[in-house]
Amino acid sequence: MHIVYIALMILALIGMIVCSKKQKTNPAMQPVAFVLFVVVVISAGLLLNEMNVFGTRDGLLENEMKFYASQGTKTGDYLKTTFPGKKVLLVADPGFEKNDNVKKLADALQAGYGGEVVTDTVQLPGNQADAPMPLYMMMKAADFDAMVDKHPDCGVIVTTVGLPQDANRLKFMKQSADKRPALFLMGLPSGPVPGIMAALQSGIITGLIISNPDAKYDVPAPSDPMKAFDIRYVLVTKENADQYKAHFSN
């Protein structure tokens, strides 16, 4: 449609020029010139709108979703080289089945990883699930462990909901390195994790994603998700943890 709008603008503009030259001798050309001017304005507006220059709500949401999903691509690519062939458990908020953002994130993770990815959430006892509080503030280590126990064949856990506040009581964290699943935090969306530097250095946490200190928020997301990731985020592992330790609360 870009070409159609541009062609229409050019033709209408040419018509305006012709009419403006003839309206001195033919007054009937004046209203025609005005109509052509309206055509130029409307065509320009439609063109700019299609190019998302106005930043419509849907366009902005789609742009942000591309950045958000790029975390999945980057995480999958990292896990593919560090834990190839292992089944991945993606931990999301309740209601993930109907959440398009989570679906796109999971798809990106699977595409980047190239292996099997399953998505699940932490079930809270009683009526706590109805409480208007973030999951990480309500879940306990026992709740998180119960979810992990449902997926004994998963060798990697990627959590987007953080960890429980009593994470030091998680059963799988106390297992030997050759038995416990690898743990990856997709950013820190759910608050700080106590002792995160020590967990990174010891290998209990294999990696996490944080916001890029130099992130740009007024740019369109590149079509390449890896480039989109670099604009907004940073992958932190024990190799570069010291560089970003100021971002962690212990």
Side-chain angles (χ1 to χ4, degrees):
M1 291 298 292
H2 285 49
I3 297 177
V4 174
Y5 293 143
I6 293 173
L8 189 59
M9 286 173 57
I10 293 174
L11 291 174
L13 188 59
I14 293 174
M16 282 178 57
I17 295 173
V18 173
C19 289
S20 65
K21 290 182 178 180
K22 293 186 176 182
Q23 65 182 0
K24 293 181 179 179
T25 57
N26 187 354
M29 290 293 102
Q30 188 171 359
V32 176
F34 177 76
V35 171
L36 291 174
F37 171 74
V38 173
V39 171
V40 171
V41 172
I42 293 176
S43 299
L46 291 172
L47 177 62
L48 293 174
N49 183 65
E50 186 162 316
M51 294 173 65
N52 199 33
V53 172
F54 298 130
T56 61
R57 182 175 181 273
D58 289 343
L60 291 174
L61 289 176
E62 183 179 353
N63 191 60
E64 287 304 306
M65 188 62 247
K66 289 179 180 178
F67 279 116
Y68 180 69
S70 71
Q71 296 179 89
T73 304
K74 183 71 173 185
T75 301
D77 183 71
Y78 170 73
L79 296 177
K80 178 173 60 179
T81 58
T82 51
F83 304 100
K86 293 190 176 183
K87 188 174 180 180
V88 176
L89 170 61
L90 176 64
V91 186
D93 280 302
F96 67 86
E97 302 92 342
K98 299 179 180 179
N99 190 313
D100 288 339
N101 290 350
V102 175
K103 290 179 182 178
K104 291 180 180 179
L105 184 68
D107 289 344
L109 175 61
Q110 187 159 18
Y113 183 57
E116 187 175 3
V117 177
V118 295
T119 307
D120 203 349
T121 190
V122 177
Q123 299 294 334
L124 299 176
N127 59 357
Q128 294 184 67
D130 298 326
M133 296 172 63
L135 183 58
Y136 86 98
M137 294 182 66
M138 298 184 293
M139 65 180 176
K140 303 297 183 183
D143 304 323
F144 201 94
D145 277 329
M147 177 203 58
V148 174
D149 290 343
K150 290 165 53 182
H151 304 275
D153 56 339
C154 288
V156 181
I157 299 173
V158 177
T159 172
T160 65
V161 299
L163 293 172
Q165 295 183 345
D166 58 344
N168 61 318
R169 301 181 65 180
L170 287 167
K171 289 190 304 182
F172 73 88
M173 280 192 174
K174 298 177 182 179
Q175 296 176 327
S176 59
D178 60 328
K179 292 183 178 181
R180 68 171 178 260
L183 178 62
F184 189 98
L185 278 64
M186 197 171 285
L188 294 175
S190 302
V193 178
I196 195 169
M197 284 292 291
L200 275 169
Q201 295 293 350
S202 66
I204 293 178
I205 295 177
T206 186
L208 55 85
I209 291 174
I210 62 172
S211 295
N212 188 330
D214 300 316
K216 298 178 181 178
Y217 296 94
D218 57 348
V219 296
S223 57
D224 183 346
M226 298 295 271
K227 292 181 179 179
F229 177 89
D230 291 338
I231 292 175
R232 289 286 182 87
Y233 308 102
V234 173
L235 171 62
V236 182
T237 64
K238 64 180 180 180
E239 283 75 20
N240 65 346
D242 285 340
Q243 182 180 350
Y244 298 100
K245 61 183 179 181
H247 295 265
F248 307 134
S249 298
N250 291 280

